[in-house]
Amino acid sequence: MSPGPTAPVAVGTPLLADFSLEMTAKDVPRLEEAAALIPAGTRVNVTFLGNEDLELRRSAARAVRRLGFVPVPHLSARRLGSRDELEGFLAGLREDGTAEHLLVVGGDPATPHGPFADALSVIRTGLLREHGVRHVGVSGYPEGHPAIEDTVLWSALTDKHAALAAQGLAGSVITQFGFDVDPVLTWVEQLRERGVEVPVRIGVPGPAGARRLVTYAARFGVGTSASIARKYGFSLTNLMGTAGPDRFLHALAARYDAGRHGEVKVHFYTFGGLRATSEWIAQFR
């Protein structure tokens, strides 16, 4: 018997075969707890938070490598106080053998702490390649950014990838997490129409308490509480349960077309729940 129209579509292997995870520099104990559940060689992004210093970030990237995964340190342009600070960070990663993959973001501060106003200004220094960086990820915002116009976002994204290509650096895009597949895949199509053919890692919230999901979404300007509740299947009057990305991933698998969307993978934002996310992925796959 063929499945009915509401039967879930199996999530294709390409989408989950090479997923990546997110952690903070303080999450090393959580990563160690979850390590046995995570496939060897998985990319693990290490965020660049304002309350974590350089040594803590370096130590976290070293731990990712020690556990058999690929460290992808973040670099927040607006949090850098000087060019020397940038060079010191890159030199430390190179010394540790963790510099090959890097994610460069603009960062949260409204006013830059130093000379770098955005990710593009960091890329244009030429220092990344000099310090052994070979793969550079940048951010994408399928549902927009609360403080930046769409035209500016698109221009910045295409300029960053042109700058990376000019320096012979491989590029990729990691999107902000979302709850609705349609605007995400529409955005990917628009990216391809602009001639950007690099891999895209679609941001997905890992399993988390419903209240936490709504809080994070509000912080990053992703959708509204009502739309999140509808898409994740929980009630705003009862935010004590846990929601997982099942619906999102099934919808992504159903709508994904390699011919239109190119190379697409999944990136899980764990919100500190590395073990919970890793267990969920293992069971879901």
Side-chain angles (χ1 to χ4, degrees), residues 58-70:
R58 285 182 60 181
S59 178
R62 289 194 299 267
V64 172
R65 185 183 180 200
R66 169 175 56 82
L67 292 167
F69 310 122
V70 177

Side-chain angles (χ1 to χ4, degrees), residues 91-195:
L93 296 179
R94 181 180 57 188
E95 180 182 335
D96 297 337
T98 59
E100 184 175 356
H101 301 266
L102 193 70
L103 180 72
V104 185
V105 301
D108 296 331
T111 302
H113 295 174
F116 304 111
D118 50 32
L120 181 60
S121 60
V122 169
I123 293 169
R124 282 177 169 166
T125 64
L127 292 172
L128 304 186
R129 186 173 182 83
E130 287 181 20
H131 286 81
V133 178
R134 294 294 176 262
H135 305 271
V136 179
V138 299
S139 299
Y141 299 89
E143 295 190 63
H145 188 290
I148 306 174
E149 294 291 333
D150 284 352
T151 54
V152 176
L153 288 173
W154 279 120
S155 176
L157 187 54
T158 54
D159 286 349
K160 281 181 278 193
H161 281 285
L164 291 174
Q167 295 179 42
L169 294 170
S172 62
V173 180
I174 293 182
T175 75
Q176 181 56 271
F177 67 88
F179 300 91
D180 191 343
V181 166
D182 290 336
V184 172
L185 289 180
T186 296
W187 181 89
V188 174
E189 289 186 42
Q190 294 171 343
L191 181 71
R192 303 312 187 200
E193 289 169 359
R194 286 171 166 80

Side-chain angles (χ1 to χ4, degrees), residues 48-50 75-79 105-113 117 141 145-147 176 219-220:
F48 193 107
L49 300 179
L75 197 160
S76 176
R78 288 171 168 256
R79 293 191 184 280
V105 301
D108 296 331
T111 302
H113 295 174
Y141 299 89
H145 188 290
Q176 181 56 271
R219 182 183 304 174
F220 291 103

Side-chain angles (χ1 to χ4, degrees), residues 163-275:
L164 291 174
Q167 295 179 42
L169 294 170
S172 62
V173 180
I174 293 182
T175 75
Q176 181 56 271
F177 67 88
F179 300 91
D180 191 343
V181 166
D182 290 336
V184 172
L185 289 180
T186 296
W187 181 89
V188 174
E189 289 186 42
Q190 294 171 343
L191 181 71
R192 303 312 187 200
E193 289 169 359
R194 286 171 166 80
V196 180
E197 299 296 338
V198 300
V200 174
R201 290 184 174 270
I202 294 178
V204 178
R211 188 182 300 277
R212 177 176 288 191
L213 283 173
V214 171
T215 300
Y216 272 94
R219 182 183 304 174
F220 291 103
V222 181
T224 65
S225 295
S227 67
I228 295 164
R230 183 176 67 255
K231 293 177 175 65
Y232 257 48
F234 56 80
S235 169
L236 286 176
T237 60
N238 180 14
L239 295 182
M240 299 306 292
T242 296
D246 312 53
R247 291 188 178 191
F248 184 95
L249 290 176
H250 282 305
L252 178 62
R255 295 174 176 81
Y256 169 65
D257 180 339
R260 297 205 316 272
H261 304 124
E263 184 177 347
V264 170
K265 305 290 185 181
V266 174
H267 177 74
F268 289 94
Y269 291 88
T270 65
F271 307 128
L274 274 164
R275 184 178 181 86

